[in-house]
Amino acid sequence: MGLLALARQSRPSEILTVYIEGDGAPWVTPWHAPSDPTPLKPLALALAAADLAPAVAYLGRPCQYPKAGALASCNPAWWMERRFAPEVLAAYDRTLTQLKSQLGAQRLRLVGYSGGGVIAALLAVQRPDVERLLTVAAPLALNDWTTWHALTPFAPASDPSWQAGPFPPSVHWVGQGDTVVPPTIVARFIAKKGGQMVSLPGYDHQCCWARDWAHLVSSVHLAP
């Protein structure tokens, strides 16, 4: 499966910061997924644009940003029930390795927004080269989240809070007004797996991460 990958590099860097997009376009109804998962407002892309790190990359999700005619051949399962499946993680794993090689990086800093935070967490627990994990409004206790929304649960292997391995040092931002991913969901993940949660008043699932990201990401200690 293809993934849109964008990258910029102002100078050589041992660390490549990679942003992973959220689940994409909103569902038409609770029972009808969008025909095209491309996000209307790609928040992770806005976060990547605000990041002043010397080497930054952005990864879309499967079937997002399709070339003309390509969407018809893209299985809707990749943005529905199988969006965190092993095949999806394998595609990201290959792409991360390619980006590291192309940009001359040695280590990765993964940043995931919403469902992209689930992808980032699953990759971070698998790859020894991930030195930091950062998430924004991410349902990291995934099946607690599906229970809260009365949704069909995902396979246990897709739930970051059920992973056996250790996670790298992590910071997880949540909005106190987020009704899509309530702070309690992230708190449940941290109770099991550790990390730092930063809970912000006045923020929800979309506001006001992109506006304030340069300040937020520089306000935590991220040095290796």
Side-chain angles (χ1 to χ4, degrees), residues 164-217:
F167 285 84
S170 306
V171 180
H172 308 289
W173 282 271
V174 295
Q176 292 182 10
D178 193 342
T179 58
V180 178
V181 180
T184 53
I185 298 297
V186 179
R188 290 177 187 177
F189 169 84
I190 289 175
K192 293 180 180 180
K193 297 298 177 182
Q196 175 188 357
M197 186 171 82
V198 180
S199 181
L200 298 176
Y203 288 68
D204 57 27
H205 199 62
Q206 293 186 324
C207 179
C208 303
W209 304 109
R211 183 194 69 190
D212 300 336
W213 185 244
H215 167 71
L216 291 174
V217 78

Short mmCIF file of all heavy atoms in Angstrom, two decimals, residues 164-217:
data_model
loop_
_atom_site.label_atom_id
_atom_site.label_comp_id
_atom_site.label_asym_id
_atom_site.label_seq_id
_atom_site.Cartn_x
_atom_site.Cartn_y
_atom_site.Cartn_z
N ALA A 164 3.60 -5.68 24.96
CA ALA A 164 4.47 -6.23 26.02
C ALA A 164 5.77 -5.45 26.18
O ALA A 164 6.30 -5.34 27.28
CB ALA A 164 4.77 -7.70 25.72
N GLY A 165 6.30 -4.92 25.10
CA GLY A 165 7.61 -4.29 25.15
C GLY A 165 7.59 -2.91 25.77
O GLY A 165 6.54 -2.29 25.91
N PRO A 166 8.77 -2.39 26.15
CA PRO A 166 8.86 -1.05 26.72
C PRO A 166 8.74 0.03 25.64
O PRO A 166 9.13 -0.18 24.48
CB PRO A 166 10.25 -1.03 27.35
CG PRO A 166 11.05 -1.98 26.51
CD PRO A 166 10.08 -3.07 26.12
N PHE A 167 8.22 1.16 26.02
CA PHE A 167 8.13 2.31 25.13
C PHE A 167 9.30 3.25 25.39
O PHE A 167 9.81 3.32 26.52
CB PHE A 167 6.81 3.06 25.35
CG PHE A 167 5.61 2.37 24.79
CD1 PHE A 167 4.97 1.37 25.50
CD2 PHE A 167 5.13 2.70 23.54
CE1 PHE A 167 3.86 0.73 25.00
CE2 PHE A 167 4.02 2.07 23.02
CZ PHE A 167 3.39 1.07 23.75
N PRO A 168 9.72 4.00 24.38
CA PRO A 168 10.74 5.02 24.63
C PRO A 168 10.16 6.15 25.46
O PRO A 168 8.95 6.22 25.67
CB PRO A 168 11.09 5.49 23.21
CG PRO A 168 9.85 5.26 22.42
CD PRO A 168 9.25 4.00 22.98
N PRO A 169 10.99 7.06 25.96
CA PRO A 169 10.46 8.23 26.67
C PRO A 169 9.40 8.92 25.84
O PRO A 169 9.57 9.14 24.64
CB PRO A 169 11.70 9.11 26.86
CG PRO A 169 12.84 8.14 26.88
CD PRO A 169 12.47 7.06 25.91
N SER A 170 8.27 9.26 26.49
CA SER A 170 7.09 9.70 25.74
C SER A 170 6.42 10.89 26.40
O SER A 170 6.42 11.02 27.63
CB SER A 170 6.07 8.56 25.65
OG SER A 170 6.64 7.37 25.12
N VAL A 171 5.82 11.74 25.55
CA VAL A 171 4.96 12.84 26.01
C VAL A 171 3.66 12.74 25.23
O VAL A 171 3.68 12.60 23.99
CB VAL A 171 5.62 14.22 25.80
CG1 VAL A 171 4.68 15.32 26.29
CG2 VAL A 171 6.96 14.29 26.53
N HIS A 172 2.53 12.83 25.94
CA HIS A 172 1.22 12.69 25.31
C HIS A 172 0.36 13.90 25.67
O HIS A 172 0.01 14.10 26.84
CB HIS A 172 0.56 11.39 25.78
CG HIS A 172 1.42 10.18 25.62
ND1 HIS A 172 1.70 9.65 24.37
CD2 HIS A 172 2.10 9.43 26.53
CE1 HIS A 172 2.50 8.59 24.53
NE2 HIS A 172 2.76 8.45 25.81
N TRP A 173 0.05 14.71 24.66
CA TRP A 173 -0.78 15.89 24.86
C TRP A 173 -2.26 15.54 24.70
O TRP A 173 -2.63 14.80 23.78
CB TRP A 173 -0.42 16.98 23.85
CG TRP A 173 0.83 17.74 24.15
CD1 TRP A 173 0.95 18.87 24.90
CD2 TRP A 173 2.16 17.44 23.68
NE1 TRP A 173 2.26 19.30 24.93
CE2 TRP A 173 3.02 18.45 24.19
CE3 TRP A 173 2.70 16.44 22.88
CZ2 TRP A 173 4.38 18.47 23.93
CZ3 TRP A 173 4.05 16.46 22.62
CH2 TRP A 173 4.89 17.46 23.13
N VAL A 174 -3.09 16.09 25.57
CA VAL A 174 -4.53 15.89 25.49
C VAL A 174 -5.23 17.22 25.74
O VAL A 174 -4.71 18.09 26.47
CB VAL A 174 -5.02 14.84 26.51
CG1 VAL A 174 -4.45 13.47 26.20
CG2 VAL A 174 -4.69 15.25 27.94
N GLY A 175 -6.39 17.38 25.13
CA GLY A 175 -7.20 18.56 25.37
C GLY A 175 -8.26 18.27 26.41
O GLY A 175 -8.97 17.26 26.30
N GLN A 176 -8.40 19.12 27.39
CA GLN A 176 -9.38 18.88 28.44
C GLN A 176 -10.81 18.92 27.90
O GLN A 176 -11.71 18.34 28.51
CB GLN A 176 -9.20 19.89 29.58
CG GLN A 176 -7.90 19.69 30.35
CD GLN A 176 -7.74 20.64 31.51
OE1 GLN A 176 -8.68 21.36 31.88
NE2 GLN A 176 -6.55 20.69 32.09
N GLY A 177 -11.02 19.57 26.77
CA GLY A 177 -12.34 19.62 26.17
C GLY A 177 -12.54 18.62 25.05
O GLY A 177 -13.53 18.72 24.31
N ASP A 178 -11.65 17.65 24.92
CA ASP A 178 -11.72 16.68 23.82
C ASP A 178 -12.78 15.63 24.14
O ASP A 178 -12.63 14.85 25.08
CB ASP A 178 -10.36 16.02 23.62
CG ASP A 178 -10.27 15.23 22.32
OD1 ASP A 178 -11.33 14.90 21.74
OD2 ASP A 178 -9.14 14.95 21.88
N THR A 179 -13.85 15.60 23.35
CA THR A 179 -14.89 14.58 23.52
C THR A 179 -14.67 13.40 22.58
O THR A 179 -15.37 12.39 22.70
CB THR A 179 -16.28 15.17 23.26
OG1 THR A 179 -16.34 15.72 21.94
CG2 THR A 179 -16.60 16.27 24.28
N VAL A 180 -13.73 13.50 21.66
CA VAL A 180 -13.41 12.38 20.76
C VAL A 180 -12.45 11.43 21.47
O VAL A 180 -12.66 10.20 21.50
CB VAL A 180 -12.80 12.89 19.45
CG1 VAL A 180 -12.41 11.72 18.54
CG2 VAL A 180 -13.77 13.82 18.73
N VAL A 181 -11.38 11.97 22.03
CA VAL A 181 -10.43 11.19 22.84
C VAL A 181 -10.33 11.87 24.21
O VAL A 181 -9.50 12.76 24.40
CB VAL A 181 -9.05 11.09 22.16
CG1 VAL A 181 -8.10 10.28 23.03
CG2 VAL A 181 -9.17 10.47 20.78
N PRO A 182 -11.16 11.49 25.15
CA PRO A 182 -11.12 12.13 26.46
C PRO A 182 -9.78 11.88 27.16
O PRO A 182 -9.14 10.85 26.94
CB PRO A 182 -12.26 11.43 27.23
CG PRO A 182 -13.14 10.84 26.18
CD PRO A 182 -12.23 10.49 25.04
N PRO A 183 -9.33 12.81 27.98
CA PRO A 183 -8.07 12.61 28.70
C PRO A 183 -8.01 11.32 29.50
O PRO A 183 -6.92 10.76 29.69
CB PRO A 183 -8.01 13.85 29.61
CG PRO A 183 -8.79 14.89 28.88
CD PRO A 183 -9.90 14.15 28.22
N THR A 184 -9.14 10.83 29.99
CA THR A 184 -9.13 9.59 30.77
C THR A 184 -8.61 8.41 29.96
O THR A 184 -8.02 7.48 30.53
CB THR A 184 -10.54 9.26 31.29
OG1 THR A 184 -11.46 9.26 30.18
CG2 THR A 184 -10.99 10.28 32.32
N ILE A 185 -8.83 8.41 28.65
CA ILE A 185 -8.34 7.32 27.80
C ILE A 185 -6.81 7.31 27.78
O ILE A 185 -6.17 6.26 27.93
CB ILE A 185 -8.90 7.45 26.38
CG1 ILE A 185 -10.44 7.34 26.39
CG2 ILE A 185 -8.29 6.41 25.45
CD1 ILE A 185 -10.97 6.02 26.88
N VAL A 186 -6.21 8.47 27.62
CA VAL A 186 -4.75 8.57 27.61
C VAL A 186 -4.20 8.26 28.99
O VAL A 186 -3.15 7.61 29.13
CB VAL A 186 -4.31 9.96 27.12
CG1 VAL A 186 -2.79 10.08 27.13
CG2 VAL A 186 -4.86 10.22 25.72
N ALA A 187 -4.91 8.69 30.03
CA ALA A 187 -4.46 8.41 31.39
C ALA A 187 -4.42 6.91 31.66
O ALA A 187 -3.53 6.43 32.38
CB ALA A 187 -5.37 9.10 32.39
N ARG A 188 -5.33 6.15 31.10
CA ARG A 188 -5.33 4.70 31.28
C ARG A 188 -4.10 4.07 30.63
O ARG A 188 -3.51 3.13 31.17
CB ARG A 188 -6.61 4.10 30.71
CG ARG A 188 -7.85 4.44 31.52
CD ARG A 188 -9.10 3.89 30.88
NE ARG A 188 -10.30 4.36 31.58
CZ ARG A 188 -11.54 4.09 31.20
NH1 ARG A 188 -11.75 3.33 30.13
NH2 ARG A 188 -12.57 4.56 31.88
N PHE A 189 -3.73 4.58 29.46
CA PHE A 189 -2.51 4.09 28.81
C PHE A 189 -1.29 4.39 29.68
O PHE A 189 -0.43 3.52 29.92
CB PHE A 189 -2.35 4.72 27.43
CG PHE A 189 -1.01 4.47 26.81
CD1 PHE A 189 -0.76 3.29 26.12
CD2 PHE A 189 0.02 5.40 26.90
CE1 PHE A 189 0.47 3.04 25.55
CE2 PHE A 189 1.26 5.16 26.34
CZ PHE A 189 1.48 3.98 25.66
N ILE A 190 -1.19 5.60 30.18
CA ILE A 190 -0.02 6.00 30.97
C ILE A 190 0.06 5.20 32.27
O ILE A 190 1.16 4.84 32.72
CB ILE A 190 -0.06 7.51 31.22
CG1 ILE A 190 0.23 8.25 29.91
CG2 ILE A 190 0.92 7.93 32.31
CD1 ILE A 190 0.12 9.74 29.99
N ALA A 191 -1.10 4.87 32.85
CA ALA A 191 -1.09 4.07 34.07
C ALA A 191 -0.47 2.69 33.82
O ALA A 191 0.13 2.10 34.72
CB ALA A 191 -2.51 3.92 34.61
N LYS A 192 -0.61 2.19 32.60
CA LYS A 192 -0.07 0.87 32.26
C LYS A 192 1.36 0.96 31.74
O LYS A 192 2.21 0.13 32.07
CB LYS A 192 -0.94 0.20 31.20
CG LYS A 192 -2.33 -0.19 31.65
CD LYS A 192 -3.08 -0.85 30.49
CE LYS A 192 -4.48 -1.26 30.88
NZ LYS A 192 -5.20 -1.89 29.75
N LYS A 193 1.64 1.97 30.92
CA LYS A 193 2.88 1.99 30.15
C LYS A 193 3.80 3.16 30.44
O LYS A 193 4.91 3.23 29.89
CB LYS A 193 2.56 1.96 28.64
CG LYS A 193 1.84 0.69 28.21
CD LYS A 193 2.72 -0.52 28.46
CE LYS A 193 2.03 -1.83 28.10
NZ LYS A 193 2.90 -2.98 28.41
N GLY A 194 3.37 4.09 31.26
CA GLY A 194 4.22 5.20 31.61
C GLY A 194 4.18 6.32 30.59
O GLY A 194 3.42 6.30 29.62
N GLY A 195 5.03 7.30 30.78
CA GLY A 195 5.06 8.48 29.92
C GLY A 195 4.48 9.68 30.65
O GLY A 195 3.97 9.57 31.78
N GLN A 196 4.59 10.82 30.02
CA GLN A 196 4.11 12.08 30.60
C GLN A 196 2.88 12.54 29.85
O GLN A 196 2.86 12.60 28.62
CB GLN A 196 5.21 13.15 30.50
CG GLN A 196 4.78 14.54 30.96
CD GLN A 196 5.83 15.59 30.65
OE1 GLN A 196 6.90 15.29 30.13
NE2 GLN A 196 5.52 16.84 30.96
N MET A 197 1.81 12.88 30.57
CA MET A 197 0.62 13.43 29.96
C MET A 197 0.55 14.93 30.23
O MET A 197 0.71 15.36 31.38
CB MET A 197 -0.65 12.76 30.48
CG MET A 197 -1.91 13.22 29.75
SD MET A 197 -3.40 12.25 30.15
CE MET A 197 -3.89 13.04 31.68
N VAL A 198 0.33 15.70 29.18
CA VAL A 198 0.17 17.15 29.30
C VAL A 198 -1.28 17.46 28.93
O VAL A 198 -1.67 17.32 27.76
CB VAL A 198 1.15 17.91 28.39
CG1 VAL A 198 0.94 19.42 28.54
CG2 VAL A 198 2.59 17.53 28.71
N SER A 199 -2.08 17.84 29.91
CA SER A 199 -3.50 18.11 29.71
C SER A 199 -3.73 19.61 29.67
O SER A 199 -3.38 20.33 30.63
CB SER A 199 -4.31 17.47 30.84
OG SER A 199 -5.68 17.69 30.67
N LEU A 200 -4.33 20.10 28.59
CA LEU A 200 -4.43 21.54 28.36
C LEU A 200 -5.88 22.02 28.35
O LEU A 200 -6.70 21.54 27.58
CB LEU A 200 -3.78 21.90 27.02
CG LEU A 200 -2.28 21.59 26.91
CD1 LEU A 200 -1.78 21.90 25.51
CD2 LEU A 200 -1.50 22.39 27.94
N PRO A 201 -6.21 22.98 29.21
CA PRO A 201 -7.55 23.58 29.18
C PRO A 201 -7.73 24.40 27.92
O PRO A 201 -6.78 25.01 27.40
CB PRO A 201 -7.57 24.45 30.44
CG PRO A 201 -6.13 24.78 30.68
CD PRO A 201 -5.34 23.58 30.24
N GLY A 202 -8.96 24.42 27.41
CA GLY A 202 -9.25 25.21 26.22
C GLY A 202 -8.95 24.51 24.92
O GLY A 202 -9.23 25.05 23.85
N TYR A 203 -8.37 23.32 24.98
CA TYR A 203 -8.07 22.54 23.78
C TYR A 203 -9.08 21.40 23.65
O TYR A 203 -9.55 20.85 24.65
CB TYR A 203 -6.66 21.92 23.86
CG TYR A 203 -5.53 22.88 23.71
CD1 TYR A 203 -5.27 23.84 24.68
CD2 TYR A 203 -4.68 22.84 22.61
CE1 TYR A 203 -4.22 24.73 24.56
CE2 TYR A 203 -3.61 23.71 22.48
CZ TYR A 203 -3.40 24.67 23.46
OH TYR A 203 -2.34 25.54 23.33
N ASP A 204 -9.39 21.03 22.40
CA ASP A 204 -10.22 19.86 22.16
C ASP A 204 -9.51 18.96 21.15
O ASP A 204 -8.28 18.95 21.11
CB ASP A 204 -11.63 20.25 21.71
CG ASP A 204 -11.64 21.13 20.46
OD1 ASP A 204 -10.71 21.04 19.63
OD2 ASP A 204 -12.61 21.90 20.29
N HIS A 205 -10.25 18.24 20.35
CA HIS A 205 -9.58 17.29 19.46
C HIS A 205 -8.82 17.98 18.33
O HIS A 205 -7.85 17.43 17.82
CB HIS A 205 -10.60 16.30 18.88
CG HIS A 205 -9.99 15.06 18.34
ND1 HIS A 205 -9.28 14.17 19.12
CD2 HIS A 205 -9.95 14.54 17.08
CE1 HIS A 205 -8.83 13.17 18.38
NE2 HIS A 205 -9.22 13.37 17.14
N GLN A 206 -9.24 19.18 17.94
CA GLN A 206 -8.57 19.88 16.85
C GLN A 206 -8.00 21.24 17.27
O GLN A 206 -6.97 21.66 16.75
CB GLN A 206 -9.54 20.05 15.67
CG GLN A 206 -9.92 18.74 15.01
CD GLN A 206 -10.75 18.95 13.76
OE1 GLN A 206 -11.57 19.87 13.68
NE2 GLN A 206 -10.56 18.09 12.78
N CYS A 207 -8.67 21.91 18.15
CA CYS A 207 -8.20 23.23 18.61
C CYS A 207 -7.36 23.05 19.87
O CYS A 207 -7.73 22.33 20.79
CB CYS A 207 -9.39 24.13 18.90
SG CYS A 207 -8.94 25.79 19.52
N CYS A 208 -6.24 23.66 19.97
CA CYS A 208 -5.63 24.64 19.09
C CYS A 208 -4.19 24.20 18.84
O CYS A 208 -3.24 24.96 18.98
CB CYS A 208 -5.67 26.01 19.73
SG CYS A 208 -7.38 26.52 20.18
N TRP A 209 -4.07 22.92 18.48
CA TRP A 209 -2.76 22.27 18.40
C TRP A 209 -1.84 22.92 17.37
O TRP A 209 -0.68 23.22 17.67
CB TRP A 209 -2.94 20.79 18.11
CG TRP A 209 -3.82 20.11 19.10
CD1 TRP A 209 -5.10 19.64 18.90
CD2 TRP A 209 -3.53 19.86 20.48
NE1 TRP A 209 -5.60 19.10 20.07
CE2 TRP A 209 -4.66 19.22 21.06
CE3 TRP A 209 -2.41 20.10 21.28
CZ2 TRP A 209 -4.70 18.83 22.38
CZ3 TRP A 209 -2.45 19.71 22.61
CH2 TRP A 209 -3.58 19.09 23.15
N ALA A 210 -2.34 23.10 16.16
CA ALA A 210 -1.48 23.65 15.10
C ALA A 210 -1.05 25.08 15.44
O ALA A 210 0.10 25.46 15.21
CB ALA A 210 -2.20 23.60 13.76
N ARG A 211 -1.98 25.86 15.99
CA ARG A 211 -1.68 27.25 16.32
C ARG A 211 -0.53 27.36 17.31
O ARG A 211 0.33 28.25 17.19
CB ARG A 211 -2.93 27.90 16.90
CG ARG A 211 -2.79 29.39 17.23
CD ARG A 211 -3.94 29.85 18.12
NE ARG A 211 -3.85 29.26 19.46
CZ ARG A 211 -4.83 29.36 20.36
NH1 ARG A 211 -5.97 29.97 20.06
NH2 ARG A 211 -4.67 28.82 21.58
N ASP A 212 -0.49 26.46 18.28
CA ASP A 212 0.45 26.59 19.39
C ASP A 212 1.58 25.57 19.36
O ASP A 212 2.36 25.49 20.31
CB ASP A 212 -0.31 26.44 20.72
CG ASP A 212 -1.39 27.50 20.89
OD1 ASP A 212 -1.28 28.57 20.26
OD2 ASP A 212 -2.35 27.24 21.64
N TRP A 213 1.67 24.79 18.29
CA TRP A 213 2.57 23.63 18.34
C TRP A 213 4.03 24.01 18.53
O TRP A 213 4.76 23.34 19.28
CB TRP A 213 2.40 22.78 17.09
CG TRP A 213 3.22 21.53 17.15
CD1 TRP A 213 4.26 21.17 16.34
CD2 TRP A 213 3.06 20.45 18.09
NE1 TRP A 213 4.76 19.94 16.71
CE2 TRP A 213 4.04 19.49 17.78
CE3 TRP A 213 2.20 20.22 19.16
CZ2 TRP A 213 4.17 18.30 18.51
CZ3 TRP A 213 2.33 19.05 19.88
CH2 TRP A 213 3.31 18.11 19.55
N ALA A 214 4.50 25.03 17.85
CA ALA A 214 5.92 25.39 17.98
C ALA A 214 6.27 25.65 19.45
O ALA A 214 7.34 25.24 19.93
CB ALA A 214 6.23 26.61 17.13
N HIS A 215 5.36 26.30 20.17
CA HIS A 215 5.61 26.54 21.60
C HIS A 215 5.47 25.26 22.40
O HIS A 215 6.30 24.97 23.27
CB HIS A 215 4.62 27.57 22.13
CG HIS A 215 4.59 27.68 23.61
ND1 HIS A 215 5.61 28.21 24.36
CD2 HIS A 215 3.65 27.25 24.51
CE1 HIS A 215 5.32 28.14 25.64
NE2 HIS A 215 4.14 27.55 25.77
N LEU A 216 4.46 24.47 22.12
CA LEU A 216 4.21 23.26 22.92
C LEU A 216 5.37 22.28 22.80
O LEU A 216 5.83 21.73 23.80
CB LEU A 216 2.91 22.60 22.45
CG LEU A 216 1.61 23.34 22.76
CD1 LEU A 216 0.44 22.64 22.10
CD2 LEU A 216 1.40 23.47 24.26
N VAL A 217 5.82 22.05 21.58
CA VAL A 217 6.85 21.05 21.40
C VAL A 217 8.20 21.52 21.94
O VAL A 217 9.05 20.71 22.30
CB VAL A 217 6.96 20.64 19.91
CG1 VAL A 217 7.71 21.68 19.08
CG2 VAL A 217 7.61 19.27 19.76
#
